[in-house]
């Protein structure tokens, strides 16, 4: 019998009958869970199990190709770092592009001080929402979002004794080490603790030097990195007096221990908030994520210290969160450059804890077809007004955009879609917020309703033509719109929150 073929449009290659049978089998999953007789949440769980079994690929190794000449970046190979800490970069003898400094100043000035009550999404109340969202990060982790380590709660210090003057000081490494019956028990308890402290997803992976910054530029004097805990000692004042550019650069030889394990956490950002992108409300959703990135990893680091192990919490500082999250099984890479998680799509922020604890069951990378879907979808590239996101069909080892020879933070040598960070950052300066339209537009960014997970999973399982079709269906159903004023009203509406996050 001749193979039956169906064409979705004349430019797409044919979809085979076998492919449609795959859709059919996914549909059969729906039937099998008996939706009418069980609750939606229970259906979602059963559906997840079926779909995980059917569609998720487990990898033994890191699932992205890395070229032999790949060199791990330094924390100042980052457009934001070079902008916000330009003087420090110059002080160690490196050049900084004035345009990038100006973009950063415009961004910081507008985002911190400007509002306009006639501009929806940028009013005084939106600005207040933003300020509160960022407050915990700004107070406790300071410049971590721009890549500066060893500040506030992300301190590298590993005290071995309680502060005798502080009854509730628990931030020290206990003398006695806790033991676990099995590596799985250890993993379960660490993950449970992380979730108690506020993580939405947790994965545990081995420390991988490829993803750590090879060097750190930290111009902040040690005294200024700590919360004020009493008058400085004469030794501390002497240290401050001698502080200068010759002490700005450190590396792993200055780190207090040899990390063996990295615990990676993802924090969901508010769906309605991100849907307002670009606006101060969208930035507030990101800022609330950053505040969670400051709080939860620190709590987990203190937990590990109380188990008797050394630990340092980190947000964007210390190393690259995206490959660590992929290695820890939290999601896949994507065209827009962020991790796309199974449950929340790209709408997550990531943080890490480095520890010397290694008696633990490690997670493995998992993929569910995102990179394949990205080849056809390109919705984020269409949504990006600056065209910072690549339209390349295939991922590549080197950036292909026009600034490719003068681009930072592009992780050359890793096979991925490369984003033009300079173009992106320029728009942040113009808007006075951190945009996020790419994330809002992505078909994987949906409330976590079970039927969306099914649709996403079908798209993951299917070849290119169906991917194009599914992108179109996403648009028809009204998902992923950007620059939509209605989304601001929806965010503030008491009825606007469309789901409770579970
Ligand atoms: S944040 Fe905005 S400017 Fe940057 S890549 Fe995404 S859509 Fe483009
Ligand atoms: S919008 Fe489409 S192309 Fe962009 S990351 Fe999401 S799935 Fe990939």
């Amino acid at each position: 019998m001749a193979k039956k073929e169906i064409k979705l449009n004349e430019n797409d290659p044919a979809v085979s009958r076998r492919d449609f049978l795959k859709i059919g089998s996914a549909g059969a999953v729906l039937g099998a869970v008996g939706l009418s007789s069980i609750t939606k949440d229970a259906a979602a769980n059963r559906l997840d199990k079926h779909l995980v079994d059917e569609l998720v690929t487990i990898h033994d190794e890191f699932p992205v190709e890395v070229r032999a000449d790949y060199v791990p970046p330094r924390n100042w190979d980052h457009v934001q770092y070079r902008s916000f800490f330009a003087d420090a970069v110059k002080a160690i003898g490196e050049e900084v592009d004035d345009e990038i400094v100006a973009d950063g100043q415009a961004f910081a000035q507008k985002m911190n001080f400007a509002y306009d009550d006639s501009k929806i999404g940028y009013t005084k109340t939106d600005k207040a929402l933003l300020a509160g969202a960022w407050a915990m990060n700004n107070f406790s982790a300071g410049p971590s979002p721009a890549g500066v380590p060893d500040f506030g709660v992300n301190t590298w210090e590993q005290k071995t004794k309680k502060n005798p003057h502080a009854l509730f000081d628990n931030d020290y490494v206990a003398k006695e080490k806790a033991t676990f019956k099995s590596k799985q028990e250890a993993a379960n308890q660490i993950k449970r603790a992380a979730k108690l402290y506020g993580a939405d997803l947790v994965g545990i992976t081995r420390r991988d030097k490829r993803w750590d910054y090879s060097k750190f530029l930290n111009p902040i004097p040690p005294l200024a990195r700590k919360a004020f805990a009493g008058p400085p000692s004469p030794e501390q004042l002497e240290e401050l007096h001698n502080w200068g550019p010759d002490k700005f650069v450190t590396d792993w030889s200055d780190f207090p221990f040899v990390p063996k394990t990295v615990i990676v956490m993802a924090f969901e950002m508010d769906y309605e908030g991100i849907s307002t992108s670009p606006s101060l409300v969208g930035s507030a959703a990101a800022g609330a994520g950053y505040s969670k990135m400051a709080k939860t990893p620190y709590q987990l680091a203190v937990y590990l210290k109380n188990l008797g192990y050394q630990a340092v919490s980190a947000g964007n500082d210390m190393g690259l969160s995206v490959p660590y999250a992929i290695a820890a099984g939290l999601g896949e890479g994507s065209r827009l450059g962020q991790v796309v998680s199974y449950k929340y799509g790209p709408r997550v922020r990531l943080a890490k804890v480095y520890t010397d604890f290694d008696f633990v069951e490690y997670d493995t990378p998992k993929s569910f077809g995102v990179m394949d879907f990205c080849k056809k979808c390109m919705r984020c590239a269409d949504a990006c007004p600056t065209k910072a996101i690549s339209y390349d069909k295939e991922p590549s080892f080197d950036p292909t955009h026009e600034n490719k020879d003068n681009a930072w933070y592009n992780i050359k040598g890793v096979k991925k879609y490369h984003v033009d960070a300079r173009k992106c950052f320029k728009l942040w300066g113009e808007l006075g917020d951190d945009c996020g339209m790419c994330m809002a537009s992505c078909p994987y960014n949906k409330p976590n309703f079970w039927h969306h997970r099914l649709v996403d999973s079908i798209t993951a399982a299917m070849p290119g033509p169906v991917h194009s079709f599914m992108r179109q269906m996403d648009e028809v159903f009204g998902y992923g719109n950007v620059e939509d004023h209605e989304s601001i009203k929806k965010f503030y509406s008491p009825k606007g929150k469309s789901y409770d996050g579970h």
Side-chain angles (χ1 to χ4, degrees):
M1 194 170 71
K3 194 174 167 189
K4 189 174 174 185
E5 291 184 335
I6 303 165
K7 283 184 189 287
L8 292 175
N9 72 51
E10 59 185 349
N11 296 321
D12 281 330
V15 179
S16 72
R17 177 179 156 78
R18 190 171 157 270
D19 293 332
F20 268 91
L21 284 175
K22 271 163 103 183
I23 289 187
S25 73
V29 170
L30 244 188
V33 297
L35 287 179
S36 57
S37 61
I38 55 176
T39 67
K40 196 164 74 178
D41 281 350
N45 290 338
R46 289 201 211 172
L47 203 50
D48 270 354
K49 182 170 176 352
H50 279 276
L51 292 171
V52 165
D53 291 348
E54 287 273 321
L55 304 172
V56 174
T57 306
I58 312 278
H59 304 270
D60 294 332
E61 303 289 335
F62 189 69
V64 180
E65 284 180 73
V66 181
R67 210 168 50 193
D69 64 357
Y70 164 78
V71 178
R74 308 159 309 174
N75 73 332
W76 66 97
D77 293 328
H78 182 317
V79 68
Q80 284 185 46
Y81 193 107
R82 296 187 91 90
S83 177
F84 299 145
F85 292 93
D87 289 344
V89 178
K90 287 179 190 163
I92 59 164
E94 293 198 19
E95 287 182 17
V96 179
D97 185 329
D98 289 343
E99 204 182 310
I100 285 176
V101 178
D103 292 340
Q105 282 174 349
F107 168 68
Q109 175 71 22
K110 288 181 192 166
M111 194 159 162
N112 285 310
F113 302 109
Y115 63 87
D116 178 349
D117 278 333
S118 67
K119 199 172 163 194
I120 189 157
Y122 294 87
T123 64
K124 184 166 175 58
T125 50
D126 302 326
K127 168 76 186 62
L129 188 77
L130 176 74
W134 275 96
M136 182 55 77
N137 172 83
N138 296 347
F139 178 73
S140 58
S144 167
V148 179
D150 192 14
F151 186 97
V153 289
N154 293 335
T155 179
W156 287 5
E157 190 177 34
Q158 302 293 300
K159 282 190 299 171
T160 51
K161 294 196 279 242
K162 190 180 187 70
N163 176 350
H165 307 295
L167 182 59
F168 294 109
D169 174 29
N170 289 308
D171 185 353
Y172 64 96
V173 182
K175 243 189 224 138
E176 303 275 318
K177 284 189 171 16
T179 54
F180 294 90
K181 282 195 218 90
S182 69
K183 292 182 175 184
Q184 191 60 58
E185 183 195 49
N188 292 348
Q189 292 208 14
I190 290 170
K191 288 180 181 181
R192 188 66 190 89
K195 291 202 170 176
L196 173 72
Y197 304 145
D200 292 304
L201 304 172
V202 195
I204 305 176
T205 187
R206 288 185 173 78
R207 187 255 182 130
D208 186 333
K209 288 183 183 173
R210 293 177 299 179
W211 315 133
D212 292 333
Y213 291 126
S214 56
K215 290 185 176 178
F216 306 96
L217 175 55
N218 193 348
I220 300 170
L223 262 188
R225 296 178 200 171
K226 310 273 177 264
F228 187 69
S233 65
E235 294 77 26
Q236 286 173 316
L237 285 173
E238 175 73 11
E239 189 184 33
L240 190 58
H241 183 69
N242 294 326
W243 187 248
D246 60 319
K247 298 192 172 62
F248 283 3
V249 177
T250 53
D251 61 26
W252 286 91
S253 63
D254 293 311
F255 197 69
F257 59 92
V258 177
K260 295 174 180 158
T261 300
V262 177
I263 302 159
V264 191
M265 284 155 276
F267 302 93
E268 184 198 11
M269 290 183 281
D270 187 272
Y271 174 73
E272 275 79 18
I274 292 297
S275 298
T276 68
S277 301
S279 77
L280 295 184
V281 178
S283 289
Y290 272 105
S291 282
K292 291 183 206 169
M293 288 163 64
K295 170 192 168 288
T296 302
Y298 174 59
Q299 290 176 291
L300 194 68
V302 171
Y303 162 81
L304 287 160
K305 287 176 184 175
N306 276 257
L307 294 180
Y309 297 91
Q310 303 193 76
V312 166
S313 55
N316 291 352
D317 52 299
M318 304 297 300
L320 304 170
S321 295
V322 168
Y324 264 125
I326 294 171
L330 297 192
E332 247 187 285
S334 69
R335 181 178 293 277
L336 64 82
Q338 287 168 241
V339 159
V340 170
S341 63
Y342 177 60
K343 202 167 174 187
Y344 309 109
R347 194 171 29 87
V348 288
R349 299 240 75 93
L350 302 168
K352 314 173 281 291
V353 171
Y354 287 70
T355 176
D356 60 354
F357 182 59
D358 64 349
F359 183 77
V360 67
E361 192 68 37
Y362 288 105
D363 289 294
T364 50
K366 297 168 191 68
S367 54
F368 51 102
V370 177
M371 284 295 273
D372 213 32
F373 187 42
C374 286
K375 286 180 188 171
K376 280 270 172 182
C377 168
M378 302 192 190
R379 194 163 182 204
C380 52
D382 287 343
C384 176
T386 68
K387 299 300 162 220
I389 295 179
S390 158
Y391 279 99
D392 294 349
K393 183 162 178 1
E394 298 288 338
S396 57
F397 286 114
D398 293 297
T400 56
H401 52 73
E402 62 184 297
N403 293 322
K404 63 181 183 304
D405 297 326
N406 191 18
W408 293 291
Y409 213 54
N410 261 296
I411 324 300
K412 293 171 192 167
V414 176
K415 199 167 189 186
K416 64 196 273 286
Y417 292 107
H418 296 267
V419 174
D420 186 338
R422 294 184 66 174
K423 277 188 174 170
C424 172
F425 196 55
K426 187 158 204 56
L427 186 68
W428 290 21
E430 286 166 19
L431 292 170
D433 63 54
D434 42 19
C435 182
M437 284 190 268
C438 45
M439 201 193 319
S441 72
C442 178
Y444 284 98
N445 167 37
K446 290 193 181 69
N448 189 31
F449 289 140
W450 61 267
H451 52 281
H452 295 148
R453 289 213 291 275
L454 176 68
V455 169
D456 290 342
S457 301
I458 290 174
T459 67
M462 297 305 297
V466 174
H467 287 174
S468 305
F469 177 67
M470 292 314 300
R471 175 196 150 144
Q472 287 160 17
M473 292 308 290
D474 215 60
E475 289 171 24
V476 167
F477 282 110
Y479 289 109
N481 294 335
V482 293
E483 298 181 283
D484 174 9
H485 287 175
E486 286 304 309
S487 66
I488 306 274
K489 291 185 200 152
K490 192 171 176 204
F491 173 85
Y492 282 114
S493 162
K495 292 181 188 160
K497 195 150 176 62
S498 59
Y499 82 117
D500 64 4
H502 299 286

